[in-house]
Amino acid sequence: SGRWTNIPICTPPKLRTQQDPNGSFAAKPHFLGVDKAATKIKKPHFLSACLWASVEFKTRGVDRTTSDTLERLVEWLEFHFLVGFDHVYVYDNTGAHTNRASLKPTLQPYIEQGHVTLIDWPHRICNNNIPAHDSTGERSSQYAAENSCRTRHAPFTEWIASFDTDEYLVPMGKHQSLKTVLHEAHEKSGANILSFRSSRGKLRESLSFPIPPNNNARERNSNTTFLQAYNCDGAGSPKPEWADRARKQVYLADYVLYHYVHYSTVTLGYMDTYESHQKDGSRYIPRFREHAPYERETNELTEAVMVHAKTIPVDQTTYYEKRCMYNYTKKWQGCWVGFPWPNGTEDKEHNHRDDGIEYNCFINESVETTWVPKLEQALMRSREKAISR
């Protein structure tokens, strides 16, 4: 319901690592007022992520099962360690669906390295809107995992975020790490919360193969990373305002006390009192809401952008050669196969190929030329280590 009485409050556990097996770092609970002295303690991590995942799960509703998590998980972890994440807390929801599998074998190398903490989380999703539409219900299990992660693990990291294995946070411009993005945003402009707008990528035709017998649908090439295969955003960058509706956020752990999927719902800004403003003579805003500079969107060209590489199921690409034509009359059916604009520039007068296929997405060149090669190298090293184990 969002009432404060329903917010879980507990003392965070001790953080035990290979370097500190006894968990000597003692953080105070960060809720209902933050001990400012505690924020001066150097935390074990600068940037951490919370991830809810399952070996397989049904999409919202009961119409489709997703089972590419294990492949995605390794790619997602390798990428985000490349761009500056120190630690990932993985909430394994596999037990809600089966007792014959788990994420642990895949995660074990990262656990041993001290980069991943695995939490068993066998709680079910409640789909409460069936049969209103094909994206029914609320991911209550996932939302509860996010709140558990923030409450229990935020005291051990400066910045924290919750997002999915199909979402990639990519440094842009001069930045080679999200750490420099966050440091500059906070130190230079006072940002405590950075939002990443979200728009889905399309499955690139050139990085997919036709499905027999009729070859009228497509699937990602198995030797292509998810990041590259879906690096074809229909909105391009900077993303329009409508892409803010599904935003994800990276936030200062001591500033955001309660977070809900796309929004920072309780922050220190909300905790301000009239009395505190009387003391320092600043303006008191009774109906406070987070705003710039404390909360803002990233600059997608010079700071960071989110690439949403959600899997496009084969059945959504059927008859794509007809549905992707520039003069197709049933545009509402959508074309989920990606045909990038030449040179990354939209041209309304020349909006289709000679065969009539319409250009419909934009390739992020930084992803394509910088981060995909780095990711491929990281995955190769990961495979070599797995073979030698």
Side-chain angles (χ1 to χ4, degrees):
S1 68
R3 292 177 298 170
W4 282 26
T5 51
N6 288 345
I7 298 174
I9 304 173
C10 64
T11 301
K14 290 184 177 181
L15 179 69
R16 292 179 171 85
T17 65
Q18 288 182 322
Q19 296 75 23
D20 183 15
N22 296 320
S24 58
F25 177 83
K28 295 185 178 181
H30 286 176
F31 190 79
L32 297 182
V34 176
D35 185 336
K36 293 183 179 179
T39 64
K40 297 179 181 179
I41 298 173
K42 182 174 175 57
K43 297 185 178 185
H45 308 306
F46 180 80
L47 177 59
S48 300
C50 304
L51 175 69
W52 176 95
S54 175
V55 171
E56 66 175 39
F57 60 91
K58 291 186 182 297
T59 56
R60 298 186 188 188
V62 294
D63 60 333
R64 188 177 290 116
T65 297
T66 299
S67 57
D68 59 8
T69 299
L70 294 182
E71 184 181 3
R72 275 191 174 276
L73 185 57
V74 172
E75 178 180 315
W76 187 90
L77 287 171
E78 291 292 343
F79 178 82
H80 286 96
F81 290 139
L82 275 178
V83 299
F85 277 84
D86 299 309
H87 201 83
V88 178
Y89 299 96
V90 179
Y91 281 68
D92 186 357
N93 188 238
T94 305
H97 312 282
T98 178
N99 59 6
R100 296 190 299 273
S102 102
L103 297 176
K104 188 172 182 179
T106 300
L107 294 174
Q108 190 61 38
Y110 303 99
I111 296 172
E112 293 174 358
Q113 295 164 13
H115 296 319
V116 166
T117 296
L118 179 62
I119 300 98
D120 189 32
W121 194 258
H123 309 297
R124 291 188 177 278
I125 300 168
C126 297
N127 286 320
N128 55 12
N129 287 331
I130 295 174
H133 48 75
D134 63 359
S135 184
T136 54
E138 300 290 332
R139 288 189 181 273
S140 56
S141 172
Q142 185 174 13
Y143 301 163
E146 178 190 9
N147 290 317
S148 167
C149 188
R150 202 231 67 88
T151 302
R152 294 170 63 82
H153 303 299
F156 305 108
T157 186
E158 298 291 343
W159 294 82
I160 196 167
S162 292
F163 50 117
D164 303 325
T165 55
D166 57 16
E167 295 169 328
Y168 296 75
L169 306 188
V170 183
M172 294 291 291
K174 66 179 182 180
H175 297 284
Q176 295 298 305
S177 171
L178 290 172
K179 289 180 178 178
T180 61
V181 175
L182 296 171
H183 179 78
E184 289 189 9
H186 181 63
E187 296 298 328
K188 293 184 178 181
S189 63
N192 299 321
I193 305 164
L194 286 183
S195 295
F196 292 74
R197 288 180 170 177
S198 176
S199 56
R200 284 180 65 178
K202 298 177 185 292
L203 176 62
R204 290 161 65 174
E205 182 199 36
S206 60
L207 299 177
S208 58
F209 63 93
I211 304 296
N214 299 321
N215 295 335
N216 62 0
R218 303 194 74 84
E219 191 167 8
R220 177 186 65 93
N221 291 337
S222 60
N223 61 349
T224 302
T225 61
F226 290 95
L227 176 62
Q228 186 178 24
Y230 291 97
N231 178 26
C232 206
D233 196 311
S237 287
K239 294 179 173 56
E241 282 192 17
W242 59 256
D244 195 45
R245 62 188 178 186
R247 66 179 181 256
K248 293 298 174 72
Q249 296 183 322
V250 180
Y251 54 89
L252 199 62
D254 288 343
Y255 185 78
V256 177
L257 307 181
Y258 187 62
H259 194 270
Y260 181 75
V261 192
H262 309 296
Y263 311 99
S264 298
T265 52
V266 180
T267 69
L268 289 188
Y270 290 108
M271 304 290 287
D272 273 352
T273 63
Y274 178 72
E275 290 75 14
S276 67
H277 285 269
Q278 279 188 315
K279 290 179 181 179
D280 61 21
S282 59
R283 181 189 174 199
Y284 175 65
I285 304 175
R287 295 185 178 180
F288 178 84
R289 63 170 294 178
E290 288 295 341
H291 56 278
Y294 312 111
E295 177 180 337
R296 65 170 175 84
E297 290 83 20
T298 60
N299 184 313
E300 296 183 354
L301 303 180
T302 64
E303 290 184 317
V305 66
M306 184 164 75
V307 175
H308 193 176
K310 186 173 182 178
T311 295
I312 305 297
V314 170
D315 62 353
Q316 290 188 6
T317 68
T318 53
Y319 303 107
Y320 73 94
E321 290 181 323
K322 178 175 67 174
R323 293 162 64 178
C324 298
M325 294 290 285
Y326 80 98
N327 57 356
Y328 187 55
T329 57
K330 299 180 180 180
K331 293 287 187 181
W332 54 268
Q333 291 183 350
C335 170
W336 284 107
V337 176
F339 300 93
W341 284 94
N343 303 316
T345 303
E346 185 174 1
D347 184 349
K348 293 182 178 179
E349 293 185 3
H350 303 89
N351 67 344
H352 59 273
R353 304 188 315 195
D354 292 341
D355 61 0
I357 292 291
E358 188 173 34
Y359 302 123
N360 60 8
C361 58
F362 301 86
I363 291 176
N364 183 313
E365 289 300 331
S366 180
V367 170
E368 194 76 5
T369 60
T370 299
W371 292 108
V372 167
K374 288 184 178 182
L375 174 58
E376 290 174 341
Q377 292 173 7
L379 289 170
M380 184 178 299
R381 290 193 296 268
S382 176
R383 286 191 290 267
E384 290 172 351
K385 288 179 181 179
I387 294 172
S388 64
R389 283 173 61 88

